[in-house]
Amino acid sequence: MKIVKGLLVLSASILAPVAFSAPLGTLSVHVLNQQTGIPSENVGVTLEKQQDMGWTKIAEGKTDGDGRIKSLYPMDKDMQQGVYRVTFKTGEYFKSEKLNSFFPEIPVIFTVSKTNEKLHIPLLLSQYGYSTYKGS
C-alpha cells in the first residue's frame, strides 16, 4: 500500500507543472489574404489582456509561412478568464507587399470564459476590408 501511495504522489508531482500551464495551441491565429487566396506570412500579432487600468501585453509574434501562429499564448502560464485583445499589424504587412491598405491595425477583442479554453481566431484579410470569427 505504501508503494502505491508513493507512486501516486510521485506521478502527481511530475504531472503538476503540465496540469497548471496553458497547453500548446491554447490560442492560435490564422491570416488569409482574400485577394490572393494565400496565407499572409510575417504578419505581426500582439496579444493583450484587459486590466483595471488598460491593457497588459502578454505575447507577440509573426505568422509563419502558412499564415499561422499555432500557439500565441505563453505555454508557461495559464490563460485565465477575462477580456483579451489580439491586434494584427496589417499595415506593416501590406507595406512589405508594396500595397496600400485602409486598416493599419486590426484589433479583435474577445472573452475567455474558462481557464485554458482552446481558441482560434482567423482573419480573412484584404487591403480595404476584413472578416473574423471564433474558429475551432
Side-chain angles (χ1 to χ4, degrees):
M1 186 66 158
K2 287 184 179 181
I3 293 173
V4 172
K5 284 184 181 178
L7 288 174
L8 287 173
V9 170
L10 179 62
S11 64
S13 66
I14 291 170
L15 295 176
V18 175
F20 297 108
S21 61
L24 179 65
T26 298
L27 175 64
S28 59
V29 299
H30 185 207
V31 182
L32 180 67
N33 186 325
Q34 286 185 303
Q35 290 169 221
T36 62
I38 59 174
S40 300
E41 185 176 1
N42 289 320
V43 176
V45 182
T46 302
L47 172 65
E48 300 164 292
K49 185 172 190 216
Q50 189 176 49
Q51 304 293 339
D52 294 335
M53 301 301 288
W55 295 94
T56 301
K57 186 190 285 188
I58 305 288
E60 60 185 349
K62 288 197 178 250
T63 56
D64 63 15
D66 195 30
R68 298 177 186 274
I69 299 177
K70 294 179 178 115
S71 194
L72 183 59
Y73 198 86
M75 290 183 288
D76 62 340
K77 298 178 182 162
D78 283 323
M79 187 173 186
Q80 300 295 329
Q81 296 177 7
V83 176
Y84 290 80
R85 176 171 64 190
V86 169
T87 302
F88 296 90
K89 310 291 185 176
T90 53
E92 295 171 7
Y93 164 74
F94 281 116
K95 186 176 180 180
S96 74
E97 298 288 313
K98 297 182 180 19
L99 295 169
N100 293 325
S101 68
F102 186 68
F103 300 102
E105 294 184 339
I106 297 173
V108 178
I109 300 172
F110 60 98
T111 302
V112 173
S113 57
K114 65 180 186 173
T115 301
N116 293 335
E117 181 177 2
K118 177 116 171 118
L119 298 169
H120 179 67
I121 300 175
L123 178 68
L124 304 174
L125 179 63
S126 73
Q127 289 173 267
Y128 301 102
Y130 65 91
S131 176
T132 188
Y133 55 94
K134 180 182 180 188
S136 60

